Amino acid sequence: MRKTNLTAIAGVISKIYHLITIIALCIFTLSSCSKEETKQTTPDGSTKISITVGSITDEDLVSSSGAKMRSIAPKTATGEQILHKETVKFNDIEVDFTSAEGKDLSFGEHTKAIRFDKVKAALPSKQMSTRSLNPLAADIPMEVGVKYWFVLFNTTTQKFEQSLQLVSGTPTKLDVVLNQNYEWYAYSYDDTNDITALDPNNPQIQTKSDRPFLYTAGTIKATTTGDTPLSITFKHQLQQLKIRVDTRGLFGNVTTLLAKFASNTPLKTGTFNIKTGAFTGALTNVPIEDLTFSNVEADSERQVEARYYTADLTQRKYIIDLEQLSVKPLNNIVEDLPVSNIGLANRTFEFTTGGAGRIQYAKVAIYKVYPRKKILHVEGNAVYGYAASAKASGNFLRDSLNFGPDSEYLRIEGFDYETISPSINNLKNRLADPTNYPDIIIASLFATLYADDYAALHNYIKRGGVAFLMIENYHSAIPQTFLRALFNDNNITTIENGLGGAIYKFNDVESDILAWPFDDVRGKYWGQDGSQTLYVQNLPTDQVIIYTGSSVNYYPFTAGNAVSMFRHKTLNFFYIGDTGFLSNELQNGIYINYTIEPFATNSQNFPIAKPKYGHYSVTGALEPGKLNEGWQVHNAALFGNAFAVMIAQSHYTPVDRSPF
């Protein structure tokens, strides 16, 4: 019989068992390692990311020769490059249609309160909203209070660890794991409304046609305990169409504006995946009945705009039908504009570029071409052009590119000029016959007029005449008597203050005057010429718009609410307490001196700021610490803006020329 070697068999079995044991241990070890790797580590509270909203960046287009050519093209006031401009004329009304395009640097503009005004009682659905917009700027922060959604994604666990709504202006700290890699995503509709919570199983967002969509993403790892900063810089993901209607050239407030897109001009929304940073699926057409317009300036009804956003980044043409447009000019009589005759019906706007973060700008600017006006200059000193009868200020008025039938600023058929001196009885005699009244008087008086001259000026203003008075001599009580009579208020007094090179800061009021047509001077400065400023005290503030008060670089004079520049609300009267406000002995350009001749133009007679102007700040000044030449002054632009208003006043509320 055959024998079995048990010892040998036992050795083999032992080896097999040992091998199985090793394999099992390896499997267990590997399994343990795998479990250890996928085990979620939670924050211990010592490590955080600190989130704030920074600014916004633009989407750069691919460089091309066409783009280089456009870089030198003329631009709109808000920075878009003009592609096409066309003017339609009908009687004394002209309409400029402008197509322009540029980068969308708007940020935080949808946070302003929106007020709805009925503009046509018979059709309650036809309405316009009013809001204030910030100027476009590349470095503006998001307004405080804007809602945005923030998502934190753990790349190890492949899970959304944080998904929450945050508010700009409120820094937020989130607990994270030290040395853990995260992806983060943020998006916003740029407004204060709550955002619907993100579905972590389907992280897709639907865009809107009436709001921008801001998005950004990145990675972050906190490598030290404490706070790791994260500053969010958003990008626009949609293409914006901005439609602006500007009736400042009519000096008319918009009372009714009914407009719509043509039926073949759809806007589109899309579904945006925050993980991929791209749109998914087909875009959706959005029917829009009536366009909703908002005020560009909070205090003005003369510039309105509608902003719409499309996810179709290839759209280049829009057809807009302005069905009805009514304005109320300075005479407070509502005027219905002939929309068909002036090209407002079914107007096509076409563009050459577009894409995420681009603006396609369609502007409709409407002008009145004012009839010829007669200007009377009461000239204190023609050597310096005190009353714009000569020199730089006179050339500014006479240049048809500034004031003429084809001007970009104020359209008028022209002027007839007459100049007299402020000698005794000159103005009295000139205004003796109302049938021969001028339309506008520009008077600059270092030596005061006489009582009868002021009486004649007072009567002219009371009959609707337009007067721009610059004076600074308080040694006679006659100017004070004139102002008291004009306001029917014996509490009014006048007093001189300041010094040559005194600087005055414009208040942020009346955008229709301080911000148009030549420059926005709100928050900027004008400069006193040579001597002192004649302040007016105790003005009835309900009857005036105060543009400037006390100087910012001399001892402040605040008694009686001293005013250095104002406009009467109901009379056509503008006051500046400086005879040399318009002074510049050159034909154009900048006279080099920091305490005299603050009026400045360029070689084309266009108003510009005079740099390096002003006396140094004295102790106790409102703006301390400034040296000589510490300001830029904008006398020329202010005068141009005011003179444009004076032309409109003389047209809509003309002087009474009936016999006494």
Side-chain angles (χ1 to χ4, degrees):
M1 61 183 286
R2 199 168 101 183
K3 294 182 179 179
T4 303
N5 189 339
L6 294 178
T7 303
I9 294 174
V12 170
I13 293 174
S14 176
K15 290 178 181 178
I16 293 173
Y17 179 82
H18 179 70
L19 180 62
I20 291 173
T21 301
I22 291 173
I23 292 172
L25 287 172
C26 289
I27 293 172
F28 177 80
T29 302
L30 291 173
S31 176
S32 299
C33 290
S34 175
K35 288 180 181 179
E36 183 66 24
E37 286 180 358
T38 59
K39 180 182 178 182
Q40 183 174 352
T41 303
T42 59
D44 62 8
S46 65
T47 308
K48 301 177 185 293
I49 58 173
S50 179
I51 306 167
T52 57
V53 176
S55 58
I56 192 163
T57 186
D58 61 276
E59 295 282 355
D60 291 328
L61 295 180
V62 176
S63 177
S64 67
S65 59
K68 292 179 181 178
M69 288 293 292
R70 286 191 296 274
S71 67
I72 60 174
K75 295 185 177 182
T76 67
T78 48
E80 297 86 2
Q81 292 180 337
I82 295 174
L83 304 174
H84 178 74
K85 193 169 186 177
E86 178 186 353
T87 300
V88 174
K89 302 181 180 182
F90 180 74
N91 296 333
D92 62 349
I93 296 177
E94 295 183 0
V95 183
D96 286 352
F97 296 95
T98 302
S99 299
E101 55 193 27
K103 299 174 182 178
D104 188 351
L105 300 177
S106 55
F107 196 39
E109 293 188 354
H110 292 267
T111 66
K112 305 298 183 183
I114 296 179
R115 168 172 59 86
F116 288 93
D117 295 324
K118 298 295 176 62
V119 297
K120 191 173 182 182
L123 295 172
S125 65
K126 311 278 190 177
Q127 57 190 3
M128 59 182 287
S129 66
T130 300
R131 64 178 171 85
S132 173
L133 298 178
N134 295 326
L136 298 184
D139 59 350
I140 57 175
M142 177 177 276
E143 292 282 337
V144 173
V146 173
K147 306 285 179 63
Y148 65 100
W149 200 270
F150 182 83
V151 178
L152 195 64
F153 183 79
N154 189 314
T155 59
T156 300
T157 64
Q158 292 292 296
K159 291 181 179 180
F160 291 108
E161 286 195 356
Q162 300 277 1
S163 182
L164 68 167
Q165 178 175 272
L166 303 180
V167 181
S168 64
T170 304
T172 302
K173 296 182 180 182
L174 299 180
D175 290 328
V176 294
V177 175
L178 186 67
N179 292 319
Q180 171 64 52
N181 291 313
Y182 293 95
E183 295 173 356
W184 61 267
Y185 309 91
Y187 59 91
S188 173
Y189 295 111
D190 199 17
D191 61 24
T192 57
N193 296 330
D194 285 335
I195 301 173
T196 302
L198 180 71
D199 182 354
N201 298 315
N202 185 27
Q204 301 192 120
I205 306 301
Q206 187 68 29
T207 66
K208 303 179 181 182
S209 62
D210 62 347
R211 284 291 183 271
F213 181 69
L214 308 176
Y215 168 82
T216 189
T219 61
I220 191 169
K221 179 169 69 172
T223 58
T224 61
T225 58
D227 293 348
T228 297
L230 172 58
S231 179
I232 294 175
T233 299
F234 280 111
K235 290 184 179 181
H236 282 281
Q237 302 301 312
L238 303 178
Q239 177 175 289
Q240 180 188 155
L241 173 65
K242 179 170 66 174
I243 307 164
R244 181 172 293 192
V245 178
D246 186 345
T247 60
R248 291 177 297 180
L250 297 169
F251 287 86
N253 295 340
V254 175
T255 59
T256 305
L257 176 54
L258 309 179
K260 64 176 60 174
F261 288 122
S263 58
N264 57 343
T265 307
L267 294 181
K268 297 183 179 182
T269 58
T271 302
F272 188 88
N273 188 302
I274 69 160
K275 284 281 290 177
T276 64
F279 288 100
T280 61
L283 302 180
T284 303
N285 287 350
V286 179
I288 297 175
E289 291 295 327
D290 300 309
L291 305 186
T292 300
F293 287 84
S294 304
N295 282 3
V296 174
E297 297 280 358
D299 67 340
S300 173
E301 305 288 337
R302 297 178 189 171
Q303 276 194 104
V304 296
E305 70 181 20
R307 295 191 180 197
Y308 289 93
Y309 300 84
T310 181
D312 182 358
L313 306 182
T314 66
Q315 189 160 345
R316 299 293 182 266
K317 183 170 76 171
Y318 306 85
I319 303 175
I320 302 167
D321 183 16
L322 274 73
E323 298 177 329
Q324 185 177 352
L325 177 59
S326 302
V327 298
K328 182 189 291 185
L330 300 181
N331 58 11
N332 289 321
I333 300 174
V334 174
E335 177 181 351
D336 296 325
L337 299 181
V339 293
S340 297
N341 293 324
I342 58 178
L344 298 183
N346 291 315
R347 171 61 53 170
T348 298
F349 293 89
E350 294 191 71
F351 305 91
T352 59
T353 65
R358 299 291 293 180
I359 286 181
Q360 296 169 330
Y361 182 22
K363 184 176 181 181
V364 179
I366 308 173
Y367 295 85
K368 174 84 72 177
V369 182
Y370 296 98
R372 199 169 189 87
K373 299 295 179 184
K374 183 184 296 184
I375 313 299
L376 175 63
H377 304 268
V378 185
E379 182 58 83
N381 194 325
V383 172
Y384 303 100
Y386 275 0
S389 69
K391 298 301 173 72
S393 58
N395 289 333
F396 164 61
L397 289 190
R398 287 163 175 76
D399 195 316
S400 62
L401 294 180
N402 299 324
F403 299 97
D406 300 314
S407 172
E408 294 289 319
Y409 308 100
L410 198 289
R411 295 184 185 175
I412 186 168
E413 293 176 357
F415 302 104
D416 296 319
Y417 302 100
E418 179 185 358
T419 302
I420 65 172
S421 72
S423 301
I424 184 170
N425 291 334
N426 270 8
L427 186 58
K428 169 192 172 184
N429 295 335
R430 176 59 186 83
L431 300 179
D433 181 6
T435 63
N436 194 31
Y437 271 165
D439 294 295
I440 299 169
I441 294 176
I442 302 174
S444 182
L445 315 167
F446 189 79
T448 183
L449 291 172
Y450 290 83
D452 287 348
D453 296 303
Y454 267 120
L457 179 62
H458 173 264
N459 195 48
Y460 168 80
I461 295 170
K462 286 292 188 179
R463 288 170 70 96
V466 181
F468 188 82
L469 177 63
M470 296 166 285
I471 186 169
E472 63 186 68
N473 190 328
Y474 82 103
H475 297 294
S476 170
I478 297 175
Q480 179 175 283
T481 301
F482 161 74
L483 290 168
R484 287 180 172 182
L486 196 67
F487 285 93
N488 191 27
D489 189 337
N490 288 330
N491 292 316
I492 292 174
T493 58
T494 58
I495 189 167
E496 281 198 332
N497 192 54
L499 73 172
I503 299 296
Y504 298 86
K505 187 174 183 177
F506 290 106
N507 295 325
D508 185 3
V509 296
E510 257 199 329
S511 63
D512 288 333
I513 292 180
L514 292 189
W516 186 83
F518 291 99
D519 195 8
D520 185 348
V521 301
R522 291 172 297 178
K524 298 178 182 178
Y525 303 90
W526 68 268
Q528 160 75 36
D529 168 63
S531 55
Q532 292 182 303
T533 305
L534 185 63
Y535 288 4
V536 183
Q537 300 166 277
N538 304 314
L539 280 168
T541 55
D542 61 331
Q543 297 182 43
V544 295
I545 303 294
I546 297 174
Y547 296 126
T548 58
S550 186
S551 65
V552 299
N553 59 333
Y554 196 58
Y555 305 111
F557 193 94
T558 56
N561 193 27
V563 174
S564 53
M565 183 188 298
F566 70 87
R567 181 181 74 83
H568 200 288
K569 287 183 178 179
T570 55
L571 300 175
N572 299 328
F573 177 63
F574 202 110
Y575 174 90
I576 299 176
D578 176 20
T579 295
F581 185 84
L582 306 181
S583 63
N584 184 344
E585 63 189 80
L586 305 176
Q587 296 298 328
N588 52 50
I590 298 172
Y591 184 82
I592 305 302
N593 191 290
Y594 66 89
T595 62
I596 62 173
E597 303 186 38
F599 189 91
T601 57
N602 63 17
S603 59
Q604 288 78 45
N605 299 313
F606 189 80
I608 60 174
K610 180 172 181 176
K612 298 182 179 180
Y613 197 82
H615 187 282
Y616 68 83
S617 301
V618 303
T619 302
L622 296 175
E623 293 190 5
K626 292 286 190 76
L627 303 177
N628 289 336
E629 304 181 346
W631 293 266
Q632 287 191 349
V633 293
H634 298 260
N635 295 41
L638 182 279
F639 175 63
N641 292 355
F643 188 70
V645 176
M646 290 187 280
I647 292 170
Q649 288 174 327
S650 70
H651 177 77
Y652 290 113
T653 57
V655 63
D656 179 5
R657 291 186 169 90
S658 62
F660 291 136

